Amino acid sequence: MSVQKSISSLRLDGGILCLDFVNTIDNRKKGIPHDYVKGFKELLEWYGHTRALSPKIIHTLERLAKDYPQKAGVVFEKSIALRELLHRLFTASLDKKKPAAADSMLFNTYVGEAYANIEISWQAGAGALQFNAPALEQVYWWPIKSAVELFTSSQLAEVKECPACGWLFLDKSRNGSRKWCSMSTCGDVNKVTRNYQRTKRKKL
């Protein structure tokens, strides 16, 4: 019996919001992978799961989506387009290549929109960049901000792709030797497969 996939059980192995967002596709190595985010409702559920947005903001966005369903649909499509764009940009980086000119231009368009709506919020005397406007577009502004911070930091060199499922993750291991998105899933499957092949060869 197959295990039912749900957002509540979705692992957050990316190590940073933008990579977890890209990883809302179950397995990019499959012909028809499972997509956890099928609509604006599921997108908000994902934010609840990651805790990247507060319940208060999520409730506000739920109300706005209900009042403006057509706009919510457009925002959702832009969010999914961004997810696939980020995947292309990060995989280009992994291959030590410049992104396609069209992808670079499109991402800069997203960045321009997001950062036109950012402001500094002060907490205990320290400033933090926030999107405080109650706008549906927040659902893709936050992954944009996360991606910009990653693309412009030394952490970009830590981004890896799981060879089994295609998920992206930050390799925080001490010697940079992490290979799998998770040892309990893809790593374990690989271990079982190798043991099976080894046993099979011995029997031949």
Side-chain angles (χ1 to χ4, degrees):
M1 185 174 67
S2 61
V3 178
Q4 187 172 4
K5 296 177 172 62
S6 66
I7 290 175
S8 62
S9 63
L10 177 62
R11 302 187 329 274
L12 303 173
D13 293 328
I16 189 170
L17 184 71
C18 57
L19 298 186
D20 283 330
F21 183 52
V22 172
N23 294 345
T24 53
I25 290 285
D26 180 56
N27 188 330
R28 290 181 177 274
K29 301 289 186 180
K30 287 184 177 179
I32 306 177
H34 176 77
D35 192 335
Y36 286 92
V37 182
K38 293 183 171 65
F40 196 86
K41 177 176 176 289
E42 287 79 12
L43 190 51
L44 291 183
E45 287 178 9
W46 178 78
Y47 269 104
H49 181 53
T50 62
R51 299 184 180 179
L53 292 180
S54 69
K56 181 180 179 180
I57 292 176
I58 291 174
H59 178 71
T60 298
L61 296 180
E62 285 175 340
R63 191 176 68 249
L64 285 172
K66 184 177 180 180
D67 292 342
Y68 305 98
Q70 187 172 359
K71 183 177 181 181
V74 172
V75 169
F76 171 72
E77 293 300 328
K78 286 192 71 172
S79 300
I80 297 304
L82 172 68
R83 182 184 66 182
E84 300 313 301
L85 172 61
L86 289 177
H87 182 260
R88 295 195 299 273
L89 293 175
F90 280 116
T91 51
S93 178
L94 283 167
D95 293 334
K96 309 299 181 185
K97 295 178 180 178
K98 284 186 177 181
D103 284 345
S104 181
M105 186 180 300
L106 179 57
F107 185 60
N108 280 324
T109 300
Y110 273 105
V111 171
E113 177 192 336
Y115 276 74
N117 290 279
I118 207 166
E119 61 187 35
I120 291 183
S121 114
W122 299 95
Q123 297 177 358
L129 292 175
Q130 299 282 345
F131 300 107
N132 289 327
L136 290 169
E137 290 84 354
Q138 275 202 39
V139 294
Y140 61 79
W141 289 346
W142 284 105
I144 291 168
K145 178 177 178 291
S146 174
V148 167
E149 292 170 351
L150 182 52
F151 279 128
T152 56
S153 77
S154 59
Q155 282 190 308
L156 184 60
E158 298 173 357
V159 177
K160 289 186 176 180
E161 181 183 37
C162 179
C165 70
W167 272 19
L168 304 178
F169 61 90
L170 289 180
D171 181 2
K172 292 290 189 179
S173 61
R174 182 174 298 179
N175 57 358
S177 61
R178 181 178 165 191
K179 183 176 182 180
W180 313 100
C181 62
S182 171
M183 281 305 299
S184 63
T185 53
C186 290
D188 192 52
V189 169
N190 178 71
K191 182 180 178 181
V192 170
T193 301
R194 283 190 289 112
N195 287 339
Y196 170 76
Q197 291 173 342
R198 191 179 302 115
T199 303
K200 188 176 180 180
R201 283 197 297 270
K202 287 180 179 179
K203 291 180 179 180
L204 293 176

